[in-house]
Amino acid sequence: MYVSVYAYTFMMRTFYLHFCLRHMRQKLIAMSLLLVGLCHADINIGISTGITGVVAVGAKENVEGAKIYFDAINAQGGISGQKINLIVLDDKFAVEQSVENAKTLVGSNKVVSLMLTRGTPNSQAIAKELGSLGVPFVGPSTGAMSLHQPVNRWVFNVRSTYRLEAEKAIELLAAMQMRQIGVIHAKDSFGEDVMVGVNNGMNQNKIKPMFVTAFDRAKPEYDPIVAQIVKENPQIVFAIGAAGVVSQVLARVRAQGGRSQFVTLSNNASAGFIKELDKNGPGTIVTQVYPSEFGKSPMVGEANSLAKEAKIAELSPSHMEGFAAAKVMVAALKRVRGSFTGESIRQALDGLSVAEGELRLAFNPQNHSGFSYVDLSIIGKDGKFRR
């Protein structure tokens, strides 16, 4: 009887030991699978921008430009084996929606960085939320000085400022003896920021504007603007506004016989803007913050090659802006050691240097400005930006 009890006890202990080992093995396998899944999860990057609305033509090209570079990196295996997943939400160029989208992207979509929001007020509103969101904001699609100074530890600009663009444009116009200039601008933080550069340029070149007219950003009243331009008949109309608004004003001026030449900024440097201008496009001057998409700089050559693979017939300056922002993002991701989080990416950005031919930037805690490149272009009869 003693032997039977001993044998039974031994048998039960052995069974229990096997059960525990099997259970532990299953938990270890499950944990291993979870860790593998975490190691190979996507790196979610978010964009809130005006896919519809008055900035849609440029916003879509920004996204396409970023996507062709991210797709190329993913085809090479991604970053440390993780693919970049670009998540885009439409804010319709509405400031409140931009902020809501940013919160959704971080909270629900788990993005570790934001980028390429179109619009000065939109980008400024998102920038105010970054401390609580805990993610960096790379390449906001605006040249607003407020995103450069004072330095926001979460904002990393990739392009030049609107003020510098405006000053350079006025300088060129003065050199060409075009001193009869009228100015129209959006009544928002974008228009106010650009006007600082316009005024600096005019003061430096001793030019007094024929008129300065502000209009509502969302609902411009075209008739009084057009009537003033046609009546005053300046050599130049410096138009500071979204692509849809500028194209509408120009079309209505031409319809009423006005012959003033229009000058606008890089926020309208898109193929879609040229398409909107249609027959009124040739002769329009547009400032540029990236080398010509038809040039031979290293980044342009790479972008054109990848665009061809992506079946994009022809690049625009807005494509180049998105492409450049994506390159800066990838360069930062490659510097991250450990897991990809908003803070680890911010730290990687804060010591980042990028050199792409004539395009150079170096971020540090005191400087989050991007490339300082500024050039001017004119829309030719062939419907292309010419330098």
Side-chain angles (χ1 to χ4, degrees):
M1 186 69 181
Y2 176 78
V3 175
S4 296
V5 171
Y6 178 81
Y8 175 78
T9 303
F10 178 79
M11 181 180 68
M12 291 302 295
R13 286 178 177 175
T14 302
F15 173 80
Y16 180 71
L17 180 60
H18 284 177
F19 173 81
C20 290
L21 287 172
R22 184 168 66 252
H23 185 63
M24 288 176 64
R25 185 163 58 247
Q26 289 173 342
K27 293 185 77 173
L28 286 170
I29 290 171
M31 290 177 64
S32 297
L33 290 173
L34 177 62
L35 288 171
V36 169
L38 289 174
C39 289
H40 293 281
D42 289 337
I43 303 169
N44 290 338
I45 305 295
I47 299 178
S48 172
T49 194
I51 298 300
T52 59
V54 294
V55 298
V57 291
K60 290 176 182 177
E61 290 168 21
N62 283 160
V63 173
E64 287 179 348
K67 191 174 185 305
I68 60 173
Y69 190 69
F70 287 151
D71 286 349
I73 295 299
N74 287 340
Q76 298 168 13
I79 309 294
S80 301
Q82 294 179 242
K83 301 295 180 69
I84 300 171
N85 181 32
L86 187 61
I87 304 170
V88 183
L89 299 183
D90 182 15
D91 60 30
K92 302 178 178 63
F93 202 46
V95 174
E96 297 81 5
Q97 191 61 52
S98 296
V99 174
E100 285 304 310
N101 285 356
K103 291 177 179 178
T104 297
L105 286 165
V106 174
S108 300
N109 299 112
K110 308 301 179 185
V111 305
V112 289
S113 184
L114 299 167
M115 63 185 298
L116 286 173
T117 293
R118 195 91 170 176
T120 295
N122 309 66
S123 297
Q124 289 171 328
I126 288 176
K128 293 177 181 178
E129 303 291 334
L130 294 173
S132 59
L133 293 175
V135 299
F137 187 16
V138 177
S141 186
T142 170
M145 184 61 74
S146 62
L147 296 175
H148 292 252
Q149 293 294 335
V151 174
N152 182 323
R153 69 196 297 263
W154 294 101
V155 177
F156 295 85
N157 298 283
V158 177
R159 45 149 297 151
S160 187
T161 67
Y162 287 139
R163 293 185 188 182
L164 183 57
E165 286 185 66
E167 288 179 22
K168 291 287 186 181
I170 298 295
E171 181 183 341
L172 172 71
L173 295 172
M176 297 169 63
Q177 298 304 310
M178 293 184 174
R179 307 178 69 85
Q180 298 175 15
I181 303 173
V183 183
I184 62 172
H185 69 87
K187 194 187 301 181
D188 62 4
S189 55
F190 162 59
E192 292 168 1
D193 188 46
V194 177
M195 282 305 299
V196 174
V198 170
N199 291 330
N200 288 344
M202 288 194 170
N203 290 336
Q204 291 166 12
N205 291 279
K206 297 180 172 56
I207 297 175
K208 184 177 180 180
M210 295 178 67
F211 58 83
V212 177
T213 301
F215 57 84
D216 185 89
R217 174 181 191 253
K219 297 179 180 179
E221 295 183 19
Y222 293 112
D223 289 344
I225 298 171
V226 172
Q228 184 173 34
I229 293 171
V230 173
K231 178 184 177 181
E232 298 288 345
N233 193 32
Q235 291 174 298
I236 296 293
V237 174
F238 205 115
I240 304 163
V245 176
V246 175
S247 63
Q248 278 290 317
V249 173
L250 178 50
R252 294 174 188 224
V253 167
R254 292 288 183 264
Q256 294 189 28
R259 305 312 304 166
S260 301
Q261 187 173 13
F262 274 57
V263 176
T264 191
L265 296 186
S266 64
N267 63 301
N268 295 326
S270 68
F273 177 57
I274 294 178
K275 186 175 181 180
E276 283 193 0
L277 292 177
D278 195 23
K279 63 182 180 181
N280 300 314
T284 302
I285 295 173
V286 183
T287 54
Q288 303 286 355
V289 292
Y290 293 98
S292 171
E293 59 276 19
F294 305 111
K296 296 182 178 180
S297 71
M299 187 171 70
V300 169
E302 182 183 17
N304 273 294
S305 176
L306 294 177
K308 186 176 180 180
E309 293 177 15
K311 309 300 183 189
I312 296 175
E314 192 169 88
L315 289 178
S316 73
S318 289
H319 283 120
M320 291 305 306
E321 181 175 18
F323 190 83
K327 284 189 74 74
V328 170
M329 178 69 77
V330 167
L333 292 175
K334 288 181 176 179
R335 297 185 75 238
V336 172
R337 296 294 176 265
S339 59
F340 294 102
T341 66
E343 177 59 24
S344 68
I345 296 171
R346 188 200 67 77
Q347 291 179 15
L349 282 159
D350 227 348
L352 179 68
S353 294
V354 175
E356 289 281 344
E358 62 267 64
L359 298 176
R360 296 176 180 274
L361 64 77
F363 294 137
N364 60 61
Q366 289 75 46
N367 179 17
H368 287 183
S369 291
F371 305 126
S372 58
Y373 184 94
V374 177
D375 197 5
L376 294 160
S377 68
I378 188 167
I379 299 174
K381 292 182 179 180
D382 59 355
K384 301 182 188 300
F385 293 109
R386 298 302 180 188
R387 305 293 177 104

